[in-house]
Amino acid sequence: AEVVGGGDKEVVKDYFNNSGFQRWKKIYGETDDVNRVQKDIRLGHSKTVENAIKMLTDESPIRGVTVCDAGCGTGSLSIPLAKEGAIVLASDISAAMVAEAEKQAKEQLLAGKDGLSPAPVMPKFEVSDLESLEGKYHTVVCLDVLIHYPQSKADGMIAHLASLAEKRLILSFAPKTFYYDLLKRVGELFPGPSKATRAYLHSEADVERALQKVGWKIRKRGLITTQFYFAKLVEAVPA
Ligand code: SAM
């Protein structure tokens, strides 16, 4: 049953342009002004990014490969991929996030920086919700975005992402199996009403079904857990 209804996207966009932007910029950054939980989430997320990069570069080099990073946030994945030579479209529904990602990319990817040679191609930055993205990319990646949408919306998002991808789609989501565990841990920390936005967990079977419906199959699976962060990472390919 849907609680928020069709307003999910507007609520999420508003959140990530305001308080959510401040919160996640901090978590995804490197400064020390994070609490214990945020620090743990930072660690979990960095493992997800690391594992996604491993999936992306394991079997063949990423240099020259087109990658669409849907819901790029502050560029945690887009920037290292550009460093590796990928041709990246970094897009996000939040203009604040995209501006921050672009700023960090300029700082980190400037020609000659860290002796990067050849100089990486700057990602192309775009403010867009993933449902409005067009075009074709060798690879589409969407990390930790589905958590903001119920499965009823996630199905359509997954179908659209698959339609943009020629060879593979990499997704991460918070798995439903850890729901009670997570609630318990969060409950211990925040006895009062939670300040965070609504989080939706997805079962792996539901995600797999959504992929199958559009002719895709899961080829690789990974699980990332820390104390407060849980993510399933899947790589899907045309069946
Ligand atoms: N993928 C990034 C990462 O892993 O570092 C950011 C993850 S952050 C938890 C979720 C991001 O998804 C936010 O930047 C938010 O603005 C973006 N987002 C949420 N809904 C979206 C949508 N419908 N289309 C595109 N981006 C969306």
Side-chain angles (χ1 to χ4, degrees):
E2 271 200 54
V3 182
V4 191
D8 277 340
K9 205 160 50 175
E10 280 310 308
V11 172
V12 169
K13 179 176 167 182
D14 189 56
Y15 170 72
F16 279 106
N17 271 319
N18 296 289
S19 62
F21 171 65
Q22 298 304 335
R23 174 182 153 87
W24 289 98
K25 184 173 83 161
K26 223 160 65 166
I27 291 176
Y28 293 157
E30 286 170 355
T31 52
D32 287 333
D33 58 342
V34 284
N35 63 36
R36 182 164 91 75
V37 177
Q38 292 171 331
K39 199 169 182 180
D40 179 83
I41 295 173
R42 177 188 280 176
L43 174 69
H45 173 259
S46 73
K47 289 188 185 187
T48 294
V49 171
E50 206 177 289
N51 279 288
I53 292 177
K54 214 173 283 166
M55 272 183 176
L56 284 160
T57 54
D58 239 10
E59 282 157 35
S60 53
I62 197 79
R63 182 163 299 280
V65 171
T66 54
V67 179
C68 170
D69 182 8
C72 66
T74 57
S76 306
L77 178 75
S78 285
I79 296 170
L81 284 182
K83 262 186 205 165
E84 298 277 328
I87 313 297
V88 182
L89 172 73
S91 79
D92 198 286
I93 196 172
S94 155
M97 284 289 187
V98 173
E100 178 64 23
E102 190 161 11
K103 177 176 158 242
Q104 291 194 18
K106 281 184 179 147
E107 282 167 15
Q108 295 180 45
L109 299 174
L110 273 186
K113 198 122 198 229
D114 302 335
L116 291 172
S117 171
V121 178
M122 260 299 158
K124 185 174 169 224
F125 293 95
E126 204 172 282
V127 181
S128 164
D129 57 282
L130 66 87
E131 297 86 343
S132 311
L133 291 172
E134 288 172 2
K136 288 279 178 197
Y137 302 85
H138 174 282
T139 298
V140 175
V141 190
C142 185
L143 300 185
D144 292 5
V145 176
L146 295 181
I147 188 161
H148 305 295
Y149 298 91
Q151 188 64 37
S152 59
K153 291 264 161 60
D155 270 34
M157 296 168 85
I158 290 171
H160 184 63
L161 292 171
S163 78
L164 303 170
E166 277 163 349
K167 300 284 185 201
R168 62 186 169 183
L169 172 59
I170 293 180
L171 291 173
S172 73
F173 56 94
K176 227 172 205 169
T177 35
F178 289 90
Y179 181 56
Y180 293 103
D181 203 19
L182 187 68
L183 265 194
K184 194 169 151 286
R185 292 180 205 209
V186 171
E188 280 163 8
L189 269 143
F190 309 109
S194 165
K195 280 173 266 156
T197 43
R198 217 189 139 77
Y200 297 92
L201 296 294
H202 301 280
S203 84
E204 191 171 345
D206 285 342
V207 171
E208 192 153 22
R209 214 170 297 123
L211 285 161
Q212 277 164 357
K213 264 202 294 196
V214 291
W216 285 62
K217 61 167 192 241
I218 296 180
R219 197 172 77 109
K220 281 187 194 164
R221 303 161 205 261
L223 176 67
I224 296 100
T225 72
T226 60
Q227 204 178 356
F228 297 101
Y229 177 96
F230 304 93
K232 271 264 170 189
L233 183 68
V234 300
E235 180 185 81
V237 293

